[in-house]
Amino acid sequence: EGRNQMDCHRFVLAPGASSEGAYRHEGEEFIHVLAGQFDITLGEAERHRLQPGDSLYFKSSVLHAWRNSFSGETVLLWINTPPTF
């Protein structure tokens, strides 16, 4: 068995949970929101508010920061390549 090319996680984020600042790293990312509401900023000014059923793909080398802006838990699938976590 070789090393996996993707790292897939199901995250459950508490209200107000955030990245606590922007960060970047090598790779690519795909996010799909299952429940709640998820805000993500890419670069200096590109902002997205994702709702259930929404997806977003971006290069991890772009500075990114995120927050659960929903009053309840937000549930999402977060896939990284290469594996990051």
Side-chain angles (χ1 to χ4, degrees), residues 59-75:
K59 293 203 176 275
S60 307
S61 58
V62 173
L63 199 62
H64 50 289
W66 55 265
R67 170 179 283 293
N68 174 12
S69 56
F70 188 57
S71 59
E73 291 182 335
T74 289
V75 182

Side-chain angles (χ1 to χ4, degrees), residues 36-74:
Q37 183 171 283
F38 186 75
D39 290 343
I40 186 164
T41 301
L42 302 174
E44 295 296 320
E46 185 180 341
R47 292 180 172 82
H48 300 275
R49 174 162 284 172
L50 304 178
Q51 306 287 339
D54 290 343
S55 298
L56 180 69
Y57 164 87
F58 61 96
K59 293 203 176 275
S60 307
S61 58
V62 173
L63 199 62
H64 50 289
W66 55 265
R67 170 179 283 293
N68 174 12
S69 56
F70 188 57
S71 59
E73 291 182 335
T74 289

